[in-house]
Amino acid sequence: MSITNLFELLCGMAMFMFGMALMGDGLKKAAGNQLEKFLAKLTDTPLKGILLGTGVTAVIQSSSATSVMTVGFVNSGMMKFRQSIGIILGSIVGTSVTGWIIALSSIHGAGGWTDLLSTTTITGVIAVIGLYCRSFSKRQKNLGDILLGFVVLMVGIETMSGAMAPLSESKAFVEILTMFSNPILGILAGTVFTAVLQSASAAVGILQALTATGAIDFDTAFPILLGISIGAAVPVLLSALAANTAGKRTAFVYLIASVLGVIVCGGGLYIINIFADLPFMTKTMTSFSIAEVNTLFRVINIIVLFPFIGLLEKLTCFLIKDRKRPEKKELVQIQLEERFLPYPSLAISQSKNAVYDMAKTTVNSVKSCFSALEDYKDEYLEETSLCEQLADRYENDIGTYLMKLSRRELNKWQNADVFKYLHTLSDFERITDHAMSIAYIAKNNKEDNIVYSEKAGRDLGQIKNAVNEILDLTVEAFMQEKWQADDRVAALNTVIRALCNRAEMHHVRRLQAGECTLRQGSDFGELLTNLERMAVHCGKIVMAMIEVNADSYRIHIENGDPISIKGSDMEKTVREYSLKYGLKTDSAVNI
């Protein structure tokens, strides 16, 4: 083999791997992220998971990509570990489809009109169509990438095969291949080779190209294929280094399934060969026979493991223990997966879950600070503080994540979701800040033995109840997208402002009458301000949602003016809330 053949081989490998990547990316974009959405759905049974994993991997042509995404789903809490096992097993089978695509390169015409059916002719036609779609059709640009990726892949295989053909005359090369007929050496070589390439499909493709030398027999190819299945687990394991326990288990189950498949299928075949001397062990392999053996091995592997999925789960959990729970109480944060950024629908879905958890954290912080105000305990202050810290982290992490996402190509609805979440993060976080301030006021009251008068307590009780209600309405509207709640939130916001004004006026009168001391009311005004600001932020959250859905509700926004939601329904709702919280209708702030 000359130096020219070596560079020709490297060129073919580069074209082959680039073609695989281009075709896979084009397929994912053309599917509009529907494949990833299906993958993210919770599967009812392991069989559905296997079928789903097989189908998705067959399309994107990478078991590593499917498994890495699945690790991300489990790590972010979008999927449970047990539900991921079926998808992982399915991806092991689905990756064999690439081998059949590569095998097409061995089809040649017999001359005459049959040349029209040869791979070279078909590839040429596909290249012309792909170039047209890629260059002249915006709508079919992704289809162009798929077709051109296929063309580059096929040309790369042809180039590698041509470069390796002279090796059939090399005695040294034949001797090296003979070494791989030793199962242990063959498995080790396949594992290392695939780990370096980071792609089982690429490793199988190169093995198929080697068949052009005529020196690859079954006894050599089979252990290499076994090693390829193990080596494919390396990129999945690397992707889970920073994952949580469930994410690590999902990655590790890929390795366990591959190793068990090698032990069961490989060990079984070699044991049978000892006693039966199987005739096909010395059969010369072709590109098609490599694809056949690779697929058959993987299908048998999954069939054998399928009844033992429960045991596979227990084994993985035994090998990767749960992390010890910290002695100090802390709240768990939903992790945002950077690997989902290329798939906007997944990234937005994950962001939505995180923002929803932030909303629930906000509710918990308010309830905790109100408990501290009623009957102060250090645990209430600690709970409020933890919620406030978690909200701070969420605001920073989600905001940064969404800003990265906004720089990608998004459709109209995806842009609307990003806008909505970005414009509500700060309001949820500010509510927790006000809750923290109220908790500290409660602590000061406890330390200074300050007790509010009965009338002051009654005013505060009404305001707290109203704030609880407006927060519940806001979070419910936000999480369930119930836009009809806007008038209730706006009306209640108006009533809370009036309740705070009334409470402050009552407080001044009690001070003038000597019913309250300055010490008792030192933080009363600040307390009312925090409560009122909570309601204001609830109103801003709903306003952001209405603005996003303005087209749907035919609300016109001009010159940056705020959206108007005034009307007879609004006035009626204000009167209802005024009566509910003991406020005279004529004392409510005009709307």
Side-chain angles (χ1 to χ4, degrees):
M1 185 178 185
S2 66
I3 189 68
T4 303
N5 294 126
L6 177 61
F7 281 110
E8 186 180 1
L9 173 62
L10 294 175
C11 178
M13 287 180 63
M15 293 176 68
F16 169 67
M17 297 189 72
F18 175 73
M20 276 183 50
L22 183 61
M23 186 164 60
D25 289 343
L27 284 163
K28 284 183 280 189
K29 291 177 181 178
N33 297 318
Q34 293 302 313
L35 294 175
E36 288 76 16
K37 280 188 176 181
F38 288 139
L39 193 59
K41 288 183 178 179
L42 304 182
T43 51
D44 299 328
T45 64
L47 179 59
K48 289 182 181 179
I50 291 175
L51 295 175
L52 187 63
T54 301
V56 171
T57 307
V59 170
I60 65 176
Q61 298 185 48
S62 173
S63 61
S64 298
T66 303
S67 301
V68 167
M69 282 192 290
T70 306
V71 170
F73 293 138
V74 175
N75 189 56
S76 63
M78 297 169 69
M79 181 183 291
K80 294 182 179 179
F81 166 56
R82 181 177 179 84
Q83 293 166 319
S84 71
I85 297 176
I87 295 177
I88 296 295
L89 296 180
S91 70
I92 293 175
V93 176
T95 192
S96 65
V97 172
T98 308
W100 291 100
I101 297 175
I102 295 170
L104 293 174
S105 64
S106 62
I107 299 177
H108 298 283
W113 66 270
T114 57
D115 285 338
L116 296 176
L117 301 177
S118 68
T119 307
T120 302
T121 303
I122 294 173
T123 302
V125 173
I126 292 175
V128 173
I129 297 173
L131 182 61
Y132 173 80
C133 294
R134 185 71 174 76
S135 303
F136 304 105
S137 177
K138 293 183 178 180
R139 291 185 177 181
Q140 302 299 329
K141 184 178 179 181
N142 292 327
L143 176 60
D145 286 342
I146 296 169
L147 297 178
L148 290 176
F150 174 79
V151 171
V152 174
L153 182 150
M154 298 299 284
V155 173
I157 284 289
E158 289 283 357
T159 304
M160 284 193 293
S161 299
M164 292 177 180
L167 291 175
S168 59
E169 301 174 1
S170 172
K171 292 183 179 180
F173 177 73
V174 174
E175 289 176 0
I176 292 174
L177 288 182
T178 304
M179 293 172 54
F180 295 148
S181 62
N182 180 310
I184 296 178
L185 289 178
I187 292 172
L188 182 61
T191 301
V192 173
F193 188 51
T194 309
V196 172
L197 288 180
Q198 298 278 294
S199 172
S201 297
V204 172
I206 292 172
L207 182 61
Q208 287 175 293
L210 277 171
T211 60
T213 65
I216 304 292
D217 57 17
F218 183 91
D219 200 26
T220 300
F222 186 63
I224 295 176
L225 288 173
L226 296 180
I228 287 173
S229 69
I230 296 176
V234 172
V236 184
L237 293 172
L238 292 175
S239 73
L241 289 177
N244 57 26
T245 302
K248 286 183 171 66
R249 286 172 176 168
T250 303
F252 204 67
V253 81
Y254 189 107
L255 176 63
I256 293 176
S258 299
V259 171
L260 289 177
V262 169
I263 293 173
V264 174
C265 298
L269 180 67
Y270 285 112
I271 290 173
I272 293 173
N273 186 54
I274 292 174
F275 297 100
D277 194 18
L278 300 172
F280 57 77
M281 297 296 286
T282 56
K283 176 185 176 181
T284 300
M285 302 297 285
T286 65
S287 184
F288 268 104
S289 58
I290 290 288
E292 291 171 351
V293 172
N294 185 41
T295 300
L296 185 61
F297 155 63
R298 292 171 182 274
V299 170
I300 293 174
N301 183 10
I302 301 310
I303 292 174
V304 171
L305 291 178
F306 179 73
F308 305 103
I309 285 181
L311 293 176
L312 195 60
E313 178 188 12
K314 292 180 180 178
L315 176 61
T316 308
C317 292
F318 173 78
L319 294 174
I320 301 181
K321 306 288 186 182
D322 287 313
R323 295 177 181 175
K324 293 183 179 180
R325 295 183 178 181
E327 295 181 2
K328 184 178 179 181
K329 182 179 179 182
E330 61 180 32
L331 298 176
V332 180
Q333 179 180 358
I334 293 177
Q335 300 298 317
L336 295 169
E337 288 290 336
E338 295 282 334
R339 72 196 83 194
F340 289 165
L341 286 173
Y343 315 109
S345 62
L346 282 182
I348 289 174
S349 178
Q350 185 183 218
S351 301
K352 178 178 70 175
N353 291 339
V355 177
Y356 285 3
D357 192 62
M358 183 182 186
K360 295 174 184 176
T361 300
T362 301
V363 173
N364 290 335
S365 72
V366 173
K367 293 187 184 302
S368 297
C369 79
F370 284 177
S371 296
L373 199 59
E374 293 170 4
D375 181 19
Y376 179 80
K377 293 179 182 178
D378 288 337
E379 63 186 68
Y380 294 144
L381 177 62
E382 180 185 4
E383 180 75 16
T384 307
S385 177
L386 287 172
C387 290
E388 191 269 338
Q389 293 172 29
L390 181 57
D392 283 346
R393 293 202 301 267
Y394 266 140
E395 183 186 26
N396 179 69
D397 294 350
I398 300 174
T400 302
Y401 190 80
L402 290 175
M403 288 305 297
K404 291 180 181 178
L405 181 61
S406 66
R407 290 194 287 268
R408 297 183 177 271
E409 187 176 348
L410 305 177
N411 61 35
K412 175 183 177 181
W413 306 112
Q414 290 168 343
N415 272 314
D417 284 336
V418 170
F419 172 88
K420 177 176 65 177
Y421 299 143
L422 281 174
H423 281 71
T424 52
L425 286 175
S426 60
D427 290 303
F428 280 124
E429 191 277 331
R430 286 297 296 150
I431 292 173
T432 63
D433 287 343
H434 291 301
M436 196 68 224
S437 179
I438 291 174
Y440 276 125
I441 291 173
K443 181 182 179 182
N444 293 336
N445 289 345
K446 178 69 174 180
E447 291 175 349
D448 296 339
N449 198 27
I450 296 175
V451 179
Y452 296 127
S453 66
E454 182 179 348
K455 293 180 180 179
R458 186 164 55 248
D459 284 342
L460 282 177
Q462 290 174 330
I463 298 173
K464 286 190 298 181
N465 290 337
V467 170
N468 270 326
E469 182 170 357
I470 195 174
L471 184 59
D472 289 341
L473 285 173
T474 301
V475 171
E476 181 184 14
F478 182 76
M479 296 179 64
Q480 298 185 18
E481 299 188 357
K482 292 183 177 180
W483 315 116
Q484 64 270 27
D486 55 5
D487 61 328
R488 290 188 292 160
V489 171
L492 196 48
N493 193 359
T494 299
V495 171
I496 289 173
R497 185 166 66 248
L499 286 172
C500 290
N501 290 337
R502 186 185 67 175
E504 187 173 7
M505 181 180 63
H506 288 173
H507 173 61
V508 172
R509 290 176 180 174
R510 285 192 297 271
L511 287 174
Q512 293 174 341
E515 297 177 8
C516 289
T517 64
L518 288 175
R519 187 168 174 236
Q520 285 177 307
S522 58
D523 291 326
F524 193 78
E526 184 180 350
L527 188 58
L528 294 177
T529 299
N530 283 303
L531 292 168
E532 183 179 349
R533 293 305 301 171
M534 284 181 175
V536 169
H537 287 294
C538 286
K540 291 176 67 177
I541 291 169
V542 172
M543 281 296 192
M545 293 191 294
I546 297 173
E547 189 172 348
V548 168
N549 291 270
D551 291 339
S552 300
Y553 287 87
R554 297 180 181 178
I555 301 172
H556 301 288
I557 308 173
E558 298 179 358
N559 302 322
D561 293 334
I563 303 169
S564 175
I565 53 176
K566 298 179 182 180
S568 58
D569 289 341
M570 172 74 166
E571 295 174 1
K572 179 181 177 182
T573 308
V574 169
R575 293 190 187 94
E576 290 177 358
Y577 280 126
S578 297
L579 293 173
K580 181 176 181 178
Y581 291 106
L583 188 68
K584 293 181 180 179
T585 305
D586 58 1
S587 66
V589 176
N590 293 328
I591 60 172

